[in-house]
Amino acid sequence: MEYRALGNTDIKLSAITYGSFAIGGNMWGGNVHKDSIASVQASLENGVTTIDTAPFYGFGLSEEVIGEAIKGKDRSSIQLLTKFGLVWDGSNQGKGIHFFDAVENGNTIPVYKYAGKGSIIREVEDSLKRLKTDYIDLLQLHWPDDSTAISEVMETMERLVEQGKIRAAGVSNYAVAQLDEAAETFLPASNQVAYSMLNRSIESDLVPYAIQNKVGIIAYSPMERGLLTGKYFQDGKLKEDDHRNEYFKQFDLHKVKGFLDKLSGLAADKSVSLAQLVLRWTTLQDGITVVLAGARNAEQAIQNAKAMEVSLSHEELTFIEKELTHVISAN
């Protein structure tokens, strides 16, 4: 495993970082508690020391599972990354911006983007309790909240750093202009954004900015929510309430399958899985600090960690790049 510096901080994160959206259950067709615990613990045992979560994932469940999974572990050897700014419990009292309606156990739950000072402080205290810890290594704004001044958000996180509640402050889904505005108050250590073989839009502006200003990039959805594992093309069946039924419609699936068929040959030559090859490619891209990889059970977690053992030559990277041009142009 490689461990990489987070932006301009002295915090080191594992290049493959455990992504915990799926173990929250909501929007992913549920979960199995014991498997979720095992997946976190297997990650730690195989060098994946960084865990990314959020209160919204399972409406607190993901954080609770992680808190249970790391109980008794050496806290100083684990980096806990969580977020704030998606409010669903009504505590925003009508403030913020309606984002979407989530469905949980047949109930519709309005979710708001809200990052006012008081709300941030409350969310952090709730996260600390669920995670069973007294500090968070990296606290991130989950989504931009246009109803709250960026300066207020950054000032609040700066205070939390000073208080020792968090070690570093980051954002998610920020554009370059928003990062520039944030830096006028407090430069974020990182920006968590979507990035994958099929979604490389950040390479044009965000990556150069991040490199120049020492802002870490945490890449989420590198597997495009499982599409790039190739498993979808083997049976194509997802549970009815799985959000990916709609999400996958944005891609030319015929083109994607053709690309994955070619990539599968390269993976077979290396005796690795398609998912491992995709993850490793992502970690090798300019400006990418760490890559999030979800796991529902221990075996998936182990295989994610082993992705860092995959070696890709200059010729092989060129081959992948050439094949990708056909797919990206189609989407």
Side-chain angles (χ1 to χ4, degrees):
M1 183 58 61
E2 293 178 14
Y3 299 92
R4 301 173 175 178
L6 174 66
N8 59 0
T9 76
D10 60 359
I11 300 172
K12 292 289 185 70
L13 308 182
S14 53
I16 298 293
T17 288
Y18 182 93
S20 68
F21 192 179
I23 67 170
N26 64 317
M27 299 175 67
W28 288 86
N31 70 349
V32 178
H33 184 78
K34 65 179 179 62
D35 288 346
S36 297
I37 295 289
S39 70
V40 175
Q41 295 177 340
S43 294
L44 295 172
E45 292 164 3
N46 286 272
V48 176
T49 61
T50 308
I51 303 171
D52 180 84
T53 185
F56 170 70
Y57 300 163
F59 303 113
L61 178 60
S62 175
E63 288 185 324
E64 290 174 356
V65 168
I66 291 165
E68 181 180 346
I70 67 172
K71 185 178 181 180
K73 306 288 185 183
D74 177 9
R75 176 67 180 85
S76 65
S77 67
I78 301 169
Q79 304 82 51
L80 293 180
L81 285 49
T82 194
K83 309 178 186 76
F84 67 88
L86 290 188
V87 182
W88 70 89
D89 59 0
S91 61
N92 56 314
Q93 299 180 329
K95 299 177 182 178
I97 300 171
H98 180 259
F99 193 15
F100 67 97
D101 290 328
V103 178
E104 180 79 353
N105 298 322
N107 298 316
T108 299
I109 304 175
V111 178
Y112 291 82
K113 297 178 183 178
Y114 181 57
K117 177 181 179 180
S119 188
I120 296 173
I121 293 171
R122 178 189 61 80
E123 285 205 66
V124 167
E125 292 300 326
D126 288 345
S127 289
L128 289 171
K129 291 176 183 176
R130 288 190 288 258
L131 291 166
K132 296 180 173 62
T133 187
D134 57 1
Y135 71 93
I136 293 163
D137 294 276
L138 175 66
L139 180 68
Q140 306 157 93
L141 171 64
H142 206 149
W143 281 91
D145 166 27
D146 292 337
S147 71
T148 303
I150 288 177
S151 59
E152 178 179 339
V153 176
M154 301 314 299
E155 285 172 0
T156 304
M157 287 204 282
E158 185 177 18
R159 295 291 88 78
L160 289 168
V161 171
E162 293 172 350
Q163 294 167 8
K165 298 282 186 179
I166 67 176
R167 294 179 65 196
V171 294
S172 302
N173 305 297
Y174 257 32
V176 167
Q178 292 167 315
L179 286 171
D180 263 335
E181 184 175 345
E184 293 176 7
T185 304
F186 188 65
L187 179 66
S190 61
N191 189 13
Q192 184 172 148
V193 290
Y195 180 73
S196 75
M197 286 180 164
L198 303 181
N199 178 12
R200 303 174 66 179
S201 60
I202 66 170
E203 293 178 353
S204 62
D205 58 353
L206 184 57
V207 167
Y209 178 95
I211 293 173
Q212 181 178 352
N213 293 278
K214 294 184 179 180
V215 174
I217 293 182
I218 299 174
Y220 72 79
S221 292
M223 304 303 303
E224 285 299 351
R225 310 190 191 189
L227 183 62
L228 290 174
T229 66
K231 295 177 181 178
Y232 176 80
F233 297 105
Q234 296 171 9
D235 55 40
K237 295 179 181 178
L238 296 169
K239 291 184 179 180
E240 186 177 345
D241 61 346
D242 195 309
H243 74 287
R244 291 173 293 179
N245 287 301
E246 187 65 28
Y247 182 81
F248 288 166
K249 291 180 180 179
Q250 68 182 289
F251 302 110
D252 184 327
L253 296 179
H254 176 73
K255 292 282 188 180
V256 174
K257 183 179 185 304
F259 166 69
L260 293 179
D261 286 344
K262 293 183 178 180
L263 206 59
S264 293
L266 178 58
D269 290 342
K270 294 179 174 294
S271 299
V272 300
S273 71
L274 190 55
Q276 288 172 320
L277 188 64
V278 172
L279 282 176
R280 184 55 173 146
W281 176 91
T282 312
T283 68
L284 292 170
Q285 302 311 297
D286 290 344
I288 303 301
T289 307
V290 300
V291 178
L292 300 188
R296 288 177 174 267
N297 55 54
E299 182 56 30
Q300 289 177 359
I302 293 169
Q303 293 307 311
N304 286 344
K306 288 184 176 180
M308 290 303 293
E309 299 174 8
V310 178
S311 175
L312 288 171
S313 68
H314 174 73
E315 290 75 20
E316 289 165 338
L317 289 169
T318 300
F319 164 76
I320 294 172
E321 194 71 28
K322 179 181 177 181
E323 295 300 328
L324 271 175
T325 58
H326 305 303
V327 184
I328 294 177
S329 63
N331 291 306

